[in-house]
Structure formats: C-alpha cells, structure tokens
Amino acid sequence: MSDPLPRPLDQRLDALARHPFRAKFHLRGRERATAELSGPATMRWHAYDLIAKRLAPAEPYKDGKQTPYRGHPVFVAQHATATCCRNCLQRWHQIPKGRELSRAERAYVVGVICRWIERELAGSGSSGSVDES
C-alpha cells in the first residue's frame, strides 16, 4: 500500500489538529532540528522502525504509555496524529487493537506521521509549548 492520498490525509490531519489535546503538539527545538537535518527519507525509516517496535505488535509493551512526548520528531508526530497507542489508533483511525498491524496498516501509520512532519516543517505548525496532559 502506498501512502494515503494527500488530500484525504490532510483532511484527517486537519480534523485531528482541531482536537484540543492533539493541537498542542508541534515540532520545536531539538525535534524540529532533527527532522530538518535528517530529511524525509530518514524520518520515514525511523517511523517504520519505531512503529514496528512500539505499535505494530498485537499487545505492545506498556500500551498507552509506550510513546514518549519528546525526544524524537516521530514521537511528537505520533501524539499529534493519534498514532501513539493502540487505543488512539482504534478510536481515530479505525484500526482494531488486539492483533498485529498488517503491512498496509504500518504503511498507513508511517504515511500519517511523515505527512504531519512534512506539514510542520513547511510551517503549518503554530507556536506554543507541548503539554503532557
């Protein structure tokens, strides 16, 4: 499966950005610099790797608490896009929990994360701090 089409994906990201908790997340400081310096191909590789380890298993270790709020652009993107845990993935993206993510679902999640990062770097993010609430 290729990345989701930009327009429907952008519409989903716009809807997520209207949610008060999700709207708090933006790339700043070290995470922004990492994304800018690494480039899209490296960010995509990191996203695939992190998703495979932390989200794809049927029952991820510490599900619901496995994604840090800071430390890597992919982590910030996961919270902004509701791809941080299996509960959020089910609620916001209709991907059921309790089974391993398929290859297509992994590609979709990575596409969502990478598109959000791309939009952030293009300047669609706003200023302010990331709250952990």
Side-chain angles (χ1 to χ4, degrees):
M1 175 178 173
S2 62
D3 282 346
L5 296 173
R7 183 173 176 184
L9 183 52
D10 283 341
Q11 290 170 344
R12 177 157 302 207
L13 291 174
D14 290 344
L16 284 161
R18 288 190 293 273
H19 186 269
F21 176 73
R22 307 283 166 206
K24 296 175 185 177
F25 293 94
H26 297 286
L27 290 180
R28 293 184 191 80
R30 185 179 296 178
E31 287 92 358
R32 184 176 192 93
T34 297
E36 289 172 341
L37 292 171
S38 298
T42 300
M43 283 295 99
R44 182 170 297 278
W45 185 86
H46 286 180
Y48 267 108
D49 185 52
L50 291 168
I51 294 308
K53 293 175 182 172
R54 296 172 174 259
L55 194 67
E59 296 181 21
Y61 178 68
K62 291 188 175 181
D63 193 26
K65 297 179 182 182
Q66 77 268 41
T67 305
Y69 284 91
R70 295 183 185 89
H72 195 284
V74 171
F75 295 152
V76 178
Q78 283 184 267
H79 289 292
T81 62
T83 58
C84 46
C85 68
R86 294 303 294 266
N87 284 330
C88 290
L89 207 55
Q90 181 170 294
R91 177 178 178 200
W92 291 91
H93 301 276
Q94 294 72 52
I95 297 176
K97 57 187 200 173
R99 62 166 176 75
E100 187 173 342
L101 294 182
S102 70
R103 178 176 283 171
E105 289 165 340
R106 290 179 196 207
Y108 167 77
V109 170
V110 169
V112 169
I113 290 167
C114 290
R115 180 65 181 145
W116 183 86
I117 292 172
E118 178 185 324
R119 287 169 42 134
E120 280 289 299
L121 295 179
S124 62
S126 64
S127 62
S129 64
V130 174
D131 291 338
E132 295 185 21
S133 54

